[in-house]
Amino acid sequence: MGASREEVYKAIDGERDYQNDVWPSQDVPGEANQLTIGEFVLLLDEYVSKARAEWTVEPKPEINTLNTVRKIAGIAVNCMEQHGAPLREE
C-alpha cells in the first residue's frame, strides 16, 4: 500500500506547515526558525535514530516509523528552503 508522489508531497507540505508553527522564526511570522546546515544534519540524525528505535522495539512499527520518516523529509525540505536546493546533475 504505497502512495502517489502527489500524496507524499502533500504529507511533507503539511509537515512543513506544522514545523513552521512549532519552530517559529522570531523574525518572519509563518516561517521556520533559522538553523545552520549542521544543525539540520544533527536533527536528521536524531530522527533517523528514533525511526531505528521504533523499528527495533515496536511490535508493529510501520505507522510510527512512517510518521517519523515524514518528519525527516520535512526537516530535509526545511534545510533546502533555508540553504538552497541544488539540482541533480547527471
Side-chain angles (χ1 to χ4, degrees):
M1 174 177 159
S4 69
R5 186 176 290 194
E6 182 178 281
E7 292 169 319
V8 170
Y9 288 155
K10 183 177 179 180
I12 295 169
D13 194 42
E15 179 64 28
R16 282 294 300 114
D17 290 341
Y18 173 79
Q19 290 174 3
N20 283 350
D21 290 341
V22 173
W23 301 326
S25 170
Q26 302 304 312
D27 303 319
V28 183
E31 290 192 18
N33 195 16
Q34 296 291 307
L35 300 175
T36 66
I37 295 172
E39 289 168 323
F40 278 115
V41 169
L42 292 173
L43 271 174
L44 289 166
D45 186 54
E46 182 67 24
Y47 278 90
V48 167
S49 293
K50 288 180 182 190
R52 187 181 305 113
E54 289 164 350
W55 195 258
T56 58
V57 175
E58 298 291 326
K60 292 190 175 187
E62 291 83 0
I63 297 300
N64 286 339
T65 303
L66 285 173
N67 284 326
T68 303
V69 168
R70 185 196 64 244
K71 292 174 188 180
I72 291 166
I75 293 167
V77 168
N78 190 354
C79 180
M80 290 188 293
E81 288 173 357
Q82 291 187 28
H83 298 286
L87 298 176
R88 173 171 296 284
E89 294 183 22
E90 304 277 334

